[in-house]
């Protein structure tokens, strides 16, 4: 197929398959680049699936690049320190969470997945994106001049480029490459819980991520400085995948309490939990093909990361911002290849370190330095 520089002007409408964090971040970046966007999401608009995450400085930097940092800050709270404690509460390790780039001052913030997705969705809609819920993309067909997203109950949606932000079970990944590997099971599952606290006249302490290690388990938690509510997580090794439907909150409570003594601090948190859920940890270390002429995958669809990276959400937002710049500045046939070139080594290194496939003597702070300068033009 012949291409010329004029093809850059043909990127007028982008379709995004998936309306989660990656999808709506992509919508915001594309809108900022002057490209109309339709977001197609399989779930209803009131869906609250997901747990919570820590947005590290690089993730906040990417949000700033697509001009949505302030609304996310309003829906989150800062995490000042990470503590490792003995079971009696004694502090063993105290590490501040700070921004390693001088003058940027982004630190780290805590937010639930549902709240982050809501903020990004509301902002993308407010800025002009068309968002359709209960509209799963079942496939895609590309021609020389366009691409069509195939839906179950409606006519295909036509666009100039289709972005697969449809997660670990991505349909678009297999459209791009029918032989594409699926994410591997890591042999563990992460369990998340929410423990409300009764009202108190004593303001909670500034937010700290505290972890406790026992002979049979570990647990980390953070208390919301406004409400005092506790969000916590732990991880267990197992060769078995979760059944569908999975265990109930009470099932998890019974299992987890067997791993702690009754007077341990984690046991008290687990006993009072009103919601406990789990997910199998998966990782997609290397996806051979990220794109075709008019289709591309981002976020978990391209590089699923286990929770231990503490970077899954941030990497998806970075993807969106970088892709937006590429589509803004380059002809389509160059933009998607440049996007992959800019992103592949970074995300695969983060995942490899987290899964033990790559060793390093540095801490996670190296990944926090990442910066996206939105106003800087990308040249071929």
């Amino acid at each position: 197929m012949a291409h010329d520089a004029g093809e850059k002007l043909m990127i007028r409408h982008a379709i995004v398959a998936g309306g989660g964090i990656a999808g709506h971040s992509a919508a915001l970046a594309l809108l900022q680049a002057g490209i109309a966007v339709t977001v197609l999401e399989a779930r209803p608009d009131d869906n609250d699936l997901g747990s919570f995450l820590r947005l590290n400085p690089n993730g906040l930097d990417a949000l700033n690049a697509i001009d949505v940092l302030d609304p996310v800050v309003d829906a989150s709270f800062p995490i000042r320190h990470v503590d490792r404690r003995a079971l009696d509460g004694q502090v063993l390790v105290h590490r501040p969470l700070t921004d390693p780039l001088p003058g940027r001052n982004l630190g780290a913030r805590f937010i639930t997945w549902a709240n982050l997705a809501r903020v990004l969705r509301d902002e993308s809609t407010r800025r002009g994106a068309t968002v359709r819920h209960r509209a799963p993309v079942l496939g895609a067909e590309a021609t020389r001049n366009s691409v069509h997203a195939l839906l179950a109950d409606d006519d295909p949606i036509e666009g100039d480029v289709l972005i697969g932000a449809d997660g670990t079970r991505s349909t678009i990944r297999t459209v791009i490459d029918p032989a594409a590997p699926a994410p591997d099971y890591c042999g563990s599952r992460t369990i998340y819980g929410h423990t409300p606290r009764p009202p108190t006249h004593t303001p909670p302490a500034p937010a700290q991520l505290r972890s406790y290690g026992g002979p049979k388990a570990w647990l980390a938690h953070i208390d919301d400085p406004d409400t005092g509510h506790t969000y916590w997580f732990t991880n267990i090794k197992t060769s078995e995948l979760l059944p569908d439907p999975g265990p109930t909150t009470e099932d998890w409570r019974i299992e987890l309490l067997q791993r702690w003594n009754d007077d341990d601090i984690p046991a008290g948190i687990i006993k009072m939990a009103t919601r406990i859920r789990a997910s199998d940890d998966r990782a997609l270390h290397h996806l051979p093909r990220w794109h075709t002429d008019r289709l591309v995958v981002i976020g978990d669809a391209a590089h699923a990361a286990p929770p231990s990276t503490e970077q899954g959400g941030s990497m998806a937002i970075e993807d969106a911002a970088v892709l937006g710049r590429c589509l803004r500045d380059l002809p389509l046939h160059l933009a998607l290849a440049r996007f992959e070139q800019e992103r592949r080594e970074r995300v695969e290194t983060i995942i490899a370190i987290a899964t033990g496939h790559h060793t390093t003597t540095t801490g996670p702070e190296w990944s926090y330095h990442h910066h996206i300068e939105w106003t800087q033009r990308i040249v071929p």
Side-chain angles (χ1 to χ4, degrees):
M1 186 194 312
H3 298 277
D4 57 46
E7 186 176 351
K8 179 173 68 173
L9 302 178
M10 296 299 292
I11 310 174
R12 299 191 181 99
H13 178 220
I15 304 166
V16 178
I21 292 171
H24 282 295
S25 295
L28 289 163
L30 293 162
L31 290 166
Q32 189 160 287
I35 300 169
V37 183
T38 297
V39 179
L40 303 172
E41 167 56 42
R43 295 169 292 189
D45 60 1
D46 60 350
N47 185 275
D48 67 347
L49 292 178
S51 50
F52 44 84
L53 72 158
R54 186 173 88 198
L55 286 170
N56 290 311
N58 54 294
L60 298 172
D61 180 276
L63 289 168
N64 190 53
I66 58 177
D67 195 26
V68 75
L69 177 60
D70 288 346
V72 172
V73 166
D74 291 342
S76 62
F77 58 83
I79 308 175
R80 306 297 188 191
H81 302 93
V82 173
D83 285 353
R84 183 162 59 86
R85 300 191 173 209
L87 291 177
D88 61 1
Q90 178 185 358
V91 177
L92 303 176
V93 176
H94 180 78
R95 178 170 65 87
L97 279 175
T98 57
D99 190 341
L101 287 189
R104 192 170 61 172
N105 298 320
L106 290 177
R109 300 192 74 87
F110 174 95
I111 191 169
T112 65
W113 282 93
N115 281 342
L116 179 55
R118 174 185 53 78
V119 169
L120 298 174
R121 180 194 66 209
D122 290 351
E123 282 296 308
S124 62
T125 302
R126 186 181 69 81
R127 298 180 193 184
T130 298
V131 180
R132 293 179 53 180
H133 292 274
R134 302 183 189 274
V137 177
L138 304 183
E141 294 178 349
T143 68
R144 184 182 186 279
N145 298 313
S146 65
V147 62
H148 293 81
L150 307 180
L151 308 179
D153 301 320
D154 206 346
D155 293 334
I157 305 295
E158 183 178 11
D160 302 308
V161 62
L162 195 159
I163 298 158
D166 47 350
T168 56
R169 300 180 181 180
S170 173
T171 295
I172 304 307
R173 181 172 64 226
T174 56
V175 173
I176 291 172
D177 180 6
D184 295 323
Y185 176 52
C186 298
S188 61
R189 64 179 57 125
T190 300
I191 304 169
Y192 305 90
H194 174 223
T195 302
R197 299 292 188 179
T200 176
H201 297 295
T202 303
Q208 300 178 3
L209 182 65
R210 299 172 180 172
S211 66
Y212 301 85
K216 298 180 181 179
W218 64 269
L219 182 143
H221 74 93
I222 187 165
D223 299 335
D224 187 325
D226 294 324
T227 66
H229 291 193
T230 297
Y231 297 87
W232 54 270
F233 63 96
T234 185
N235 186 275
I236 60 176
K237 302 293 185 182
T238 175
S239 60
E240 298 180 357
L241 295 172
L242 282 167
D244 185 17
T248 66
T249 290
E250 195 57 36
D251 292 334
W252 282 122
R253 191 190 328 276
I254 293 170
E255 177 173 341
L256 294 177
L257 286 176
Q258 295 174 2
R259 300 166 183 262
W260 300 96
N261 294 322
D262 194 59
D263 57 350
D264 291 339
I265 291 174
I269 294 172
I270 295 167
K271 288 176 185 177
M272 297 172 60
T274 57
R275 190 178 195 187
I276 306 175
R277 58 173 53 187
S279 62
D280 293 322
D281 298 338
R282 297 180 183 273
L284 181 53
H285 298 90
H286 177 77
L287 181 67
R289 295 188 65 189
W290 282 29
H291 66 89
T292 62
D293 282 352
R294 291 188 179 271
L295 294 93
V296 65
V297 284
I298 67 172
D300 284 351
H303 45 75
S308 58
T309 65
E310 297 181 328
Q311 286 285 9
S314 292
M315 289 193 296
I317 302 165
E318 289 177 4
D319 281 356
V322 172
L323 180 61
R325 291 180 65 228
C326 291
L327 290 172
R328 178 195 65 190
D329 297 341
L330 300 173
L332 180 57
H333 71 288
L334 297 179
L336 301 186
R338 181 62 174 269
F339 165 71
E340 179 182 349
Q341 177 185 341
E342 294 281 331
R343 297 298 298 157
R344 182 184 284 278
E345 181 178 3
R346 172 174 170 78
V347 299
E348 290 189 353
T349 299
I350 289 173
I351 294 170
I353 291 173
T355 55
H357 289 76
H358 179 85
T359 57
T360 179
T361 57
T362 63
E365 291 78 8
W366 74 268
S367 63
Y368 302 166
H369 287 76
H370 191 268
H371 172 63
I372 298 170
E373 187 60 57
W374 179 265
T375 59
Q376 183 177 346
R377 309 297 290 186
I378 295 178
V379 296

